[in-house]
Amino acid sequence: MADVVGTWEFLSRCQSLSLRERAFLAVLRFGGLRKGEALGLEWRHVDPTANVLRVDQQRRKANALAVTRKLKSEAARRNVPMRTPLAQLLADLRRAGETCEVWTGRGGRVLVETRLVFPFREHELARVAAVVRGVDPASFPPGDCWHVFRHTLAVELVRAGKSVEYVHQWLGHSDLAKTVVYLRGLVGGFVDPLGVEDLDRTPPPVIGGSSHTSTGRTGRPSEASSPGTRMHSHVDVPSKREPQLGN
């Protein structure tokens, strides 16, 4: 997205979207989940105590409610932090109930109960995508728009002082080279490292989906810019490695 910092304002402008739809977009943008990972979330994966989303399964086809524990790679099985506004959105949605009824089956004639957080089908996702493009057409060209949010999170994390290795583990990439591709040539708003809420106070993602989440604070990385310093659009791979997340 062209404006990294203004995403909450972007979501608020999507007035025609439901609370569930806006929460879905926020999970993609601030959790960095792949579309299938977000569609596979059940309420048992949303942990408000540890303040994390547990990525442990996915839905490969939105028109089917069936989930699979086979992810893109084992690196994708991880816990990711919930920023405060995202946690609030999900808490508001949860108050409506942890189960909902959806029409499924051939022709959508069967009413079933599900504990999926986002039991959307393809035509519903297409409508959400159309609204998103209407609000910010420059950031969401035709095609699969969902990865735009994931790329935006990657840029935000690096510009907030996180290393490429940190972003690599947050996104659940099996290969560091994939993360580097995400960060080359992407343009976003300039971010003050001290102004990005909770990036340094939130426990880092736990790789492997362990139920034990670190409660310690992560230190500010050595490559972080000083307050007020603008970081340029080109992103270089840091030469100094951060400790591995979750250790």
Side-chain angles (χ1 to χ4, degrees), residues 26-226:
V27 164
L28 298 179
R29 167 62 178 88
F30 296 99
L33 274 63
R34 299 173 177 92
K35 180 184 77 171
E37 294 170 348
L39 291 176
L41 284 176
E42 297 179 4
W43 282 112
R44 63 189 175 91
H45 299 124
V46 181
D47 188 340
T49 302
N51 216 36
V52 297
L53 296 174
R54 308 193 187 284
V55 182
D56 192 47
Q57 63 187 29
Q58 66 171 328
R59 282 168 62 204
R60 291 180 174 173
K61 297 181 179 179
N63 282 337
L65 296 181
V67 299
T68 175
R69 293 199 72 238
K70 185 175 182 180
L71 299 174
K72 194 164 186 178
S73 70
E74 275 307 303
R77 203 174 307 281
R78 63 204 189 280
N79 296 341
V80 297
M82 288 191 292
R83 305 256 287 275
T84 302
L86 171 57
Q88 186 58 56
L89 266 178
L90 290 173
D92 291 344
L93 183 59
R94 198 170 202 160
R95 279 193 284 272
E98 292 194 1
T99 61
C100 61
E101 293 183 333
V102 295
W103 292 97
T104 187
R106 189 181 297 274
R109 298 175 181 175
V110 180
L111 188 64
V112 299
E113 190 174 81
T114 178
R115 294 180 67 85
L116 290 169
V117 181
F118 306 115
F120 301 132
R121 292 185 293 169
E122 286 294 351
H123 73 278
E124 294 168 314
L125 290 176
R127 187 185 72 82
V128 174
V131 172
V132 164
R133 290 194 183 96
V135 172
D136 190 358
S139 294
F140 299 93
D144 190 347
C145 68
W146 310 116
H147 251 51
V148 171
F149 293 108
R150 190 167 155 85
H151 284 231
T152 303
L153 174 66
V155 172
E156 178 186 59
L157 288 170
V158 168
R159 289 185 173 170
K162 300 302 183 183
S163 71
V164 174
E165 288 87 351
Y166 182 100
V167 179
H168 157 70
Q169 294 189 52
W170 183 307
L171 297 180
H173 282 151
S174 59
D175 187 346
L176 185 65
K178 293 182 180 178
T179 311
V180 174
V181 169
Y182 269 43
L183 300 171
R184 284 182 177 166
L186 294 179
V187 177
F190 293 116
V191 179
D192 179 347
L194 295 178
V196 180
E197 181 202 8
D198 283 340
L199 283 183
D200 291 309
R201 298 193 299 276
T202 306
V206 175
I207 308 307
S210 168
S211 60
H212 301 288
T213 304
S214 169
T215 57
R217 297 189 179 192
T218 58
R220 183 166 298 282
S222 59
E223 65 265 29
S225 297
S226 60

